[in-house]
Amino acid sequence: MAGRILVVDDVATNRIVMKVKLTAACYTVEQAENGTDALRLARETKPDLILLDLMMPDMSGLEVCRALKAEPETADIPIVLITALCDRAAKMEGLEAGADDFLCKPVEEVTLLARVRSLLRASDSVRELRGRDEGVSAYGFAEAALGFEPKVQPGRVALVAPGPRGAVLWKAAIEERVGGTVQIMPKELALASAAEAEAPDVFVISVDLGQRNEGLRLLSDLRSRPGTRHSASVMILPEGDTERAAIALDLGASDVLHDPFDAQELAIRISAQLGRKRQSDRMRAGVRAGLEAAITDPLTGLYNRRFALHRMEQMLAPPAADLSVMMIDLDFFKNINDTYGHHAGDAVLREVAFRLRGQLKPSDLLARIGGEEFLVVLSGADREAASACAEQLRGCIGAASFDLGDGSFPIRVTASVGLTLPGGLGDGVPVTAEALIRQADRALYGAKAHGRDQVSYTQGAAA
Amino acid sequence: MAGRILVVDDVATNRIVMKVKLTAACYTVEQAENGTDALRLARETKPDLILLDLMMPDMSGLEVCRALKAEPETADIPIVLITALCDRAAKMEGLEAGADDFLCKPVEEVTLLARVRSLLRASDSVRELRGRDEGVSAYGFAEAALGFEPKVQPGRVALVAPGPRGAVLWKAAIEERVGGTVQIMPKELALASAAEAEAPDVFVISVDLGQRNEGLRLLSDLRSRPGTRHSASVMILPEGDTERAAIALDLGASDVLHDPFDAQELAIRISAQLGRKRQSDRMRAGVRAGLEAAITDPLTGLYNRRFALHRMEQMLAPPAADLSVMMIDLDFFKNINDTYGHHAGDAVLREVAFRLRGQLKPSDLLARIGGEEFLVVLSGADREAASACAEQLRGCIGAASFDLGDGSFPIRVTASVGLTLPGGLGDGVPVTAEALIRQADRALYGAKAHGRDQVSYTQGAAA
């Protein structure tokens, strides 16, 4: 299922040579002999990587590349353009068309395989974040929930070169072409930037700094620090140093480039890395938002029922804390919805959530577990403190009217509270989340039966 | 905030030497001069890594290590034991006490820093999966939701050695000590295992296989393949080869060991890696489950309202498909809850979800968006097909009674359906998810008003 590579070349011998190399490295190889077949196969079989010949009779590799990058279904498949003519203009065009790399024939095996590994590793992380489900993406949902738009945030690029002169040349070469800030930093500053709120998005690092291979060590170091582990990196190597280029890719460099390089090429590669970095930043934020959504009541922002039960079970795991459990139910809430509409009802629920939260400590658990039902769990409070807290919570609802802010008359809302005090289940009853809530629920019905707007205690505790 | 290292040593000079080395590498160093202070500081400041001297006057490093690993709050902090006496028994004891590594003085700088990077990288991934929120862990919730228990699954260990003889010796040395299966594989088989359903949990790889450094390349290769990228790996190197040990760690090896090694030590290190691998497998599954929970209605397993709205908006983004939208509401559902109880009502909702799903194509969107309200969205269906589908869905509810399987009399349930046909909003009305649902909702009220158990169309479409 993984490691499927589509080799596109109109010359059969080239395809076979490539297939032998890749098969020996345990990849599965599919072949296409022209652009039309390549497009069809890419759409149908969604390969993990495409090695694409630039010059083909029916349509050029550039056209194929552009077409694939324009379709959402295939846009994420990494593409390496391969050509016999290492023509500068074609190279720039290829990279700007979205190709991930551009290799010249004869393709050197070590370089090719290191590049393949690096691209597969990167696209696999994207896929893992996105979820493998075809069609449906929980990540996509989460991303949307965050309200992400394609923000055009300026990128932060850091240049780490052996001497000031080299870095100044790099900077001059790319500053205008790359948007955002381009900053020259010595190695120490690059490492220190990992601790800052806004670490660079892309590091351009020379493989040798003060010492030989110091750039490689810096790369590993940046990838071990939380602040920079998701930053992209472009490693600059001396001409012909393919061996260390392969090592750099295996160490996690996002891209490699040999000196003397073309300023435009570096700028294009940096921009491509900036784009990818932004995409994966969004995805990670999406995953976090998705997890957040799984535990949150969307109306009030409080925890939801599922999470509250889970949290209570955690609290009851040994060493179990003494828990006080309250069920809080708004009195005659249906009347509010019926009289003023759902909009007003929702506003009341949000305000109730806000008032309750204001009375509680951060460590107290507060959740909305039903339409107008709230759950509060205090850990380690004694009976007096728990009773006082319950009275306070009841009071904070009933004491002041609810002004819905739409010019209508303020509404008075009261709440009934059922409270299970610590030990309130009585001896011998296994203390589970369900049992504590059931007990609080019974007390709540007592409060309702005795006239509402009051706190009732569990039988066990009252005795 | 990251890269805080606690150095524990009773000799001030040792602490200072270590501090100089680590500060030069841009880590923040805290110091403790005895075990008691170390425990206190570890609990209070939660460092990212602890370098712990084995021999101290008040309590031994082993005791400190055991105490920290026994407390949930500090158990995840990586610990490297450091000692002047490289005593075999102490080393085994240290590793079994949960130390992540055991280094002998004088500590070689390259090795130390590579190990620090590797441990920080690993613990940072764990932290990222877990979420940084103190106290509350969405991941933990999701893990609990999956019903995970500490399953004692046998581990799968793969040995990749240069020749059959070496591997056979390794296997004999560790097989009894490590539970699960231990398998000798040539490099090719190791790579091929990445495509299998059950890839090895831990690879033990010799740094040189047929060719020099071939084991390093294999390591990079395994980490670029989805099936093995989360597998752990222990790299075996010749005695004294600290340089390549550092490279192996930077390439992502989970642990390194020098030949000739102690069989017990290898077994302990493999077991530790197995444990960590299982923990992170659980966490990743937890994240997936959490994301799943964010988009799912827990009662029926269908998508929830939030996700359905998001998905509709995706469907409406250019190039927008022609959507047919149905609101399906069960008739007199409240009676079922009132007469037979919530349990029966829930069973009916689950059966309804099952029946609806059975009538729809996988690409059709089906969600439960309210108590007894379901949403169906068809993409690309024409008016005839959409109307026929709506009739079918109505029919599949009303046609057969619901047997709740508890011996009670089967219940008859009917559903009313409101349908917005493609183009049903009329010209000039912006086509949004909200507008389509509102229109279907109006049609649904029409169906209710005209006697229920029927399909009503939108005004626009009927005209």
Side-chain angles (χ1 to χ4, degrees), chain B residues 124-142:
Chain B
D124 184 51
S125 333
V126 167
R127 231 178 342 196
E128 190 166 82
L129 279 172
R130 179 167 288 175
R132 273 155 212 273
D133 238 354
E134 298 298 324
V136 172
S137 158
Y139 139 71
F141 152 71

Side-chain angles (χ1 to χ4, degrees), chain A residues 114-158:
Chain A
R115 178 58 84 173
V116 165
R117 286 195 290 269
S118 159
L119 290 173
L120 289 178
R121 197 161 50 223
S123 73
D124 185 51
S125 331
V126 168
R127 230 176 343 193
E128 190 165 84
L129 279 172
R130 176 166 289 173
R132 274 156 213 273
D133 239 355
E134 298 298 325
V136 173
S137 157
Y139 139 71
F141 152 72
E143 179 172 347
L146 267 183
F148 266 119
E149 281 145 54
K151 271 188 236 164
V152 189
Q153 232 183 9
R156 293 175 302 274
V157 179

Side-chain angles (χ1 to χ4, degrees), chain A residues 81-139:
Chain A
L81 280 172
I82 294 180
T83 180
L85 275 175
C86 254
D87 168 56
R88 180 183 176 277
K91 189 169 185 176
M92 296 306 144
E93 249 188 313
L95 293 173
E96 285 191 328
D100 294 81
D101 203 2
F102 194 99
L103 299 178
C104 300
K105 293 181 193 172
V107 176
E108 206 260 317
E109 190 170 336
V110 174
T111 311
L112 173 73
L113 292 179
R115 178 58 84 173
V116 165
R117 286 195 290 269
S118 159
L119 290 173
L120 289 178
R121 197 161 50 223
S123 73
D124 185 51
S125 331
V126 168
R127 230 176 343 193
E128 190 165 84
L129 279 172
R130 176 166 289 173
R132 274 156 213 273
D133 239 355
E134 298 298 325
V136 173
S137 157
Y139 139 71

Side-chain angles (χ1 to χ4, degrees), chain B residues 371-403:
Chain B
E372 65 263 29
E373 250 182 351
F374 297 83
L375 172 77
V376 172
V377 182
L378 313 179
S379 174
D382 62 20
R383 294 174 163 226
E384 285 69 37
S387 307
C389 177
E391 275 300 340
Q392 242 179 321
L393 294 176
R394 186 197 58 76
C396 81
I397 311 292
S401 307
F402 285 66
D403 185 350

